[in-house]
Amino acid sequence: MALSPDARVTVKGVHGRSLATAETVRRMAHEVGAWAAVNASYFDIRGGPAFSGYEGDPLGVYATGGSLLSEAAQGRTALILGGTRARHRIDEITTSSSLVASDGAHRELDGINRVPGRIVGCGGVGGDRLSRTGELVSFPVHNQLCVDPDEIVDIGAAWGVSSPEGGKDSQDALIDRTGRVSALRVPAGGRIPPGGRVLSGIGKGAAWLARHARPGATVTVTSAMYDSRGARLSGAQSSVVGAGPSLVRDGRIRINAEANGFSRTALTRREPRTVAGITADGTLLLVTFDGRRPGISVGVSLQEAADILISMGATDALNLDGGGSTTMVVEDKVWNRPTQSPGGPRTERAVATALAVITE
């Protein structure tokens, strides 16, 4: 699918009714009235090696509608969709979030809309350790779990109706629509205030909330996204969706697998894939490759995907989630053949996010 800069469409990231639950690309497209859609970010897939219990949770940066809804896996590649004043582009993204209480106390905010203490894919901030080794890790590690016993995570209305349940020493600060703390809840887990949010803490994070987020206090949450040059992304971006690795930069193959937490074996393995590319004139390419059907379609490697995108005119391109997630919907019909296993039946997988093409 090729969408020229003057096409009368808007392309944006979308998710289902809540970030805690996954939905099919076709269902998400239908709900927003999209003409077409493809799957987008990686997510906390059920049955994955690091599943935290909420398969709608996008892994890495996800922003749409003017809100940052998931923090970056720091430095992973993302698709930045331009609004009315900006072109689409591809870059490595970091995010920074903080809390300021009315008593003057400051603290780093560890995460947005996820389970506190569990960072699927790693790349977080503030003392995360790889669960299988205990190694201190600040970079992405694809499909691996990092843990941090001392976190505060911001849980907003996009997550769903309830914050994740926590252990006996966890704590929720219930924040109303004005930013004022209405109550503290121990242990964490329960309804999110209408129009408000929950700050969910564990360990030293829970202690910070008990000290500085008492009922009647105010807590201000600030978040920002930055590109690889350190420039802050402005409101001209309609959506930012993290995935990776990069495939093409400046018209040449550039696969930054290691920076995105992938092993070298990922470079040559053929799989179904969804990729996005941008041409010199700003045309957005959304491409899916089927696979897992011996003798019919075998998928593509990252190198092969990059070659094909260059042949289509892409000057920049990145890999999105693939495998059983790869789905392209046009006019409420699935046009590719998604499958969960080699030779398996055609099956639409529920995913966390999609790129929706909405006609104006």
Side-chain angles (χ1 to χ4, degrees):
M1 171 187 327
L3 304 167
S4 68
D6 58 356
R8 298 181 64 83
V9 299
T10 298
V11 186
K12 66 178 184 178
V14 296
H15 55 276
R17 287 164 290 183
S18 77
L19 288 173
T21 57
E23 290 188 10
T24 65
V25 174
R26 178 156 46 178
R27 176 67 180 268
M28 285 188 270
H30 182 78
E31 288 180 351
V32 300
W35 169 71
V38 298
N39 66 293
S41 61
Y42 300 108
F43 61 103
D44 190 10
I45 187 169
R46 184 178 299 275
F51 184 55
S52 292
Y54 297 90
E55 60 184 345
D57 180 11
L59 305 183
V61 66
Y62 172 55
T64 194
S67 297
L68 179 62
L69 300 180
S70 178
E71 79 276 12
Q74 305 288 41
R76 280 192 88 156
T77 307
L79 175 63
I80 305 165
L81 293 168
T84 57
R85 300 180 302 280
R87 288 165 61 99
H88 308 313
R89 62 190 179 102
I90 292 167
D91 205 348
E92 283 66 55
I93 299 300
T94 58
T95 54
S96 176
S97 299
S98 62
L99 304 171
V100 180
S102 52
D103 63 3
H106 292 66
R107 192 191 191 280
E108 185 174 58
L109 178 66
D110 297 273
I112 301 172
N113 293 323
R114 63 167 171 81
V115 177
R118 296 177 63 85
I119 307 92
V120 181
C122 303
V125 297
D128 300 347
R129 293 183 180 274
L130 195 62
S131 63
R132 58 184 171 80
T133 66
E135 174 190 0
L136 196 64
V137 168
S138 60
F139 48 85
V141 188
H142 187 62
N143 275 347
Q144 297 297 311
L145 176 67
C146 279
V147 294
D148 183 346
D150 302 302
E151 284 201 317
I152 297 178
V153 173
D154 179 21
I155 310 293
W159 175 258
V161 297
S162 299
S163 61
E165 294 184 2
K168 63 183 181 66
D169 296 322
S170 62
Q171 187 155 195
D172 280 345
L174 279 61
I175 314 293
D176 67 20
R177 66 181 71 245
T178 70
R180 191 171 300 278
V181 180
S182 61
L184 289 173
R185 180 168 58 207
V186 181
R191 299 283 294 185
I192 299 171
R197 65 200 331 147
V198 168
L199 296 176
S200 189
I202 58 173
K204 293 179 181 178
W208 191 94
L209 292 174
R211 190 176 305 116
H212 303 292
R214 296 171 180 168
T218 60
V219 181
T220 302
V221 179
T222 58
S223 296
M225 295 181 289
Y226 301 91
D227 66 17
S228 61
R229 299 186 302 267
R232 184 169 179 170
L233 300 189
S234 72
Q237 282 74 42
S238 65
S239 298
V240 180
V241 178
S246 166
L247 299 175
V248 180
R249 289 293 170 84
D250 299 321
R252 298 171 180 252
I253 292 177
R254 182 192 163 199
I255 303 174
N256 59 350
E258 184 175 348
N260 279 264
F262 287 86
S263 66
R264 288 186 175 274
T265 59
L267 294 173
T268 57
R269 188 171 61 245
R270 285 175 168 166
E271 294 284 357
R273 297 192 186 276
T274 303
V275 301
I278 302 167
T279 68
D281 70 356
T283 295
L284 178 65
L285 306 172
L286 299 176
V287 182
T288 58
F289 300 94
D290 276 345
R292 297 181 173 175
R293 299 181 70 196
I296 300 174
S297 58
V298 297
V300 292
S301 68
L302 294 175
Q303 173 88 29
E304 289 166 339
D307 285 333
I308 294 169
L309 266 290
I310 288 174
S311 75
M312 297 174 69
T315 56
D316 296 276
L318 86 160
N319 185 62
L320 299 171
D321 189 18
S325 300
T326 288
T327 307
M328 177 178 286
V329 171
V330 179
E331 296 183 331
D332 207 35
K333 177 182 176 182
V334 177
W335 282 77
N336 70 314
R337 193 181 188 281
T339 184
Q340 309 302 312
S341 59
R346 182 172 179 163
T347 307
E348 291 182 59
R349 173 185 282 174
V351 298
T353 63
L355 300 178
V357 182
I358 301 171
T359 56
E360 296 178 357

